[in-house]
Amino acid sequence: MKRAGLLAALLCVGAAPAPAPLRVVSINPCADSVLMRVADRGQIAAVSHYSHDPEASSIPVEIARRFKATSGTAEEVVALAPDVVLSGRHVAPSTILALRRMGVRLVQLDVPTTIAESVAQVRLIADTVGRPERGAVLAEAIERSVRAAKPADSRAIPALIWQGGGLVPGTDTLSSDMLRAGGFRNLSADYGLKNWDILPLERLVAKPPRVLLTVGEGEGAGDRRLSHPVLRPLARHMTRAAWPERLMHCGGPTIVDAMTRLRVIRSRLPAA
């Protein structure tokens, strides 16, 4: 018994201490939304200032404001002594230099243009903070929402997402890939538009989509042109539906809400 107790004591003394949790600073608003799902709260040293803005946040602001926020300057980031910084590709050279001097790991994230790329990014962030199992859970939730939104028939309904000023996402965008997965066809290419381009109202009237998704919380929110009388006759052939602005900002968990919204919109369309 004494020898067993002594052995146990020696094992306790010689055991390596548990690694300290990573301190993560995110200066990327889309990384913020993933971090909230995969990281421990104590790991998050700061989030992007965009997540504190109700107009720009992809996560509930009341949750985001529980964490510090930075504008992404080198001084702010370095002062937090992070182990890892999550950012986009366009980081100020001064910030990169300061992080390198400190030996801080910088993970730069591309803007995903497909659902698959966004899922891979979720897994990368989860791996970075040492929580791959949570990344797997979130990835499965996204993929499950995509499967649920897949229509029973093969019709690809012509659709267009319209932001204020007539700005529309093109075919090589995450928005377009979500439309495709939900059984719609992004009509942007039919107008000869680039990835992000302006569509004049006259061209919309000349060739209206079957479904027009208007960015905002209400139909035509933020763009008076969508109240123009010239659009009234189109009501018989074109369904308009609100597309919340937060669904435009990021992938990750936002995809779940976007696919659910597309499934509802499609289910309410009148029979062809």
Side-chain angles (χ1 to χ4, degrees):
M1 289 294 292
K2 289 182 178 180
R3 291 181 63 186
L6 178 61
L7 179 59
L10 289 172
L11 288 173
C12 289
V13 171
L22 286 170
R23 284 179 57 79
V24 184
V25 169
S26 170
I27 55 177
N28 182 316
C30 295
D32 295 348
S33 63
V34 177
L35 273 180
M36 296 296 166
R37 301 293 188 95
V38 302
D40 292 341
R41 293 296 179 260
Q43 290 181 288
I44 305 173
V47 296
S48 151
H49 68 97
Y50 292 104
S51 291
H52 281 202
D53 180 356
E55 299 298 321
S57 182
S58 291
I59 54 180
V61 174
E62 62 273 15
I63 294 177
R65 287 179 177 169
R66 296 174 188 171
F67 303 92
K68 292 181 180 178
T70 78
S71 58
T73 65
E75 294 79 9
E76 291 176 292
V77 173
V78 168
L80 292 166
D83 298 303
V84 179
V85 174
L86 301 176
S87 76
R89 285 290 173 188
H90 303 290
V91 183
S94 60
T95 300
I96 293 178
L97 182 60
L99 294 174
R100 284 178 177 169
R101 284 175 176 171
M102 285 188 62
V104 176
R105 182 184 175 193
L106 175 65
V107 177
Q108 294 178 280
L109 305 169
D110 292 317
V111 176
T113 59
T114 65
I115 294 171
E117 288 177 3
S118 186
V119 168
Q121 202 168 88
V122 164
R123 293 184 183 275
L124 171 61
I125 294 172
D127 289 348
T128 299
V129 301
R131 300 293 184 268
E133 71 286 352
R134 295 178 189 170
V137 169
L138 178 53
E140 171 55 28
I142 293 169
E143 291 165 348
R144 188 166 56 248
S145 73
V146 172
R147 292 192 297 269
K150 184 179 180 179
D153 60 76
S154 59
R155 289 182 305 145
I157 298 171
L160 194 70
I161 298 176
W162 177 285
Q163 293 185 263
L167 182 65
V168 301
T171 52
D172 294 328
T173 61
L174 178 59
S175 294
S176 187
D177 196 43
M178 290 192 295
L179 285 175
R180 178 201 56 77
F184 297 88
R185 180 172 68 86
N186 187 357
L187 208 58
S188 173
D190 290 34
Y191 300 110
L193 301 179
K194 300 176 182 178
N195 274 350
W196 287 95
D197 213 340
I198 301 295
L199 178 65
L201 188 61
E202 296 79 5
R203 297 183 66 189
L204 175 68
V205 173
K207 186 175 183 178
R210 178 68 182 81
V211 175
L212 182 66
L213 303 175
T214 59
V215 176
E217 295 302 326
E219 188 178 274
D223 195 337
R224 293 181 179 179
R225 288 186 297 175
L226 292 181
S227 299
H228 197 286
V230 73
L231 291 175
R232 290 173 187 165
L234 300 181
R236 292 172 294 176
H237 314 288
M238 182 178 75
T239 296
R240 286 166 61 174
W243 188 250
E245 187 171 355
R246 64 185 181 80
L247 301 183
M248 297 295 296
H249 294 156
C250 300
T254 304
I255 294 174
V256 177
D257 294 336
M259 298 312 301
T260 300
R261 178 70 180 138
L262 288 174
R263 179 164 53 85
V264 170
I265 291 169
R266 187 177 172 109
S267 69
R268 292 176 179 174
L269 291 177

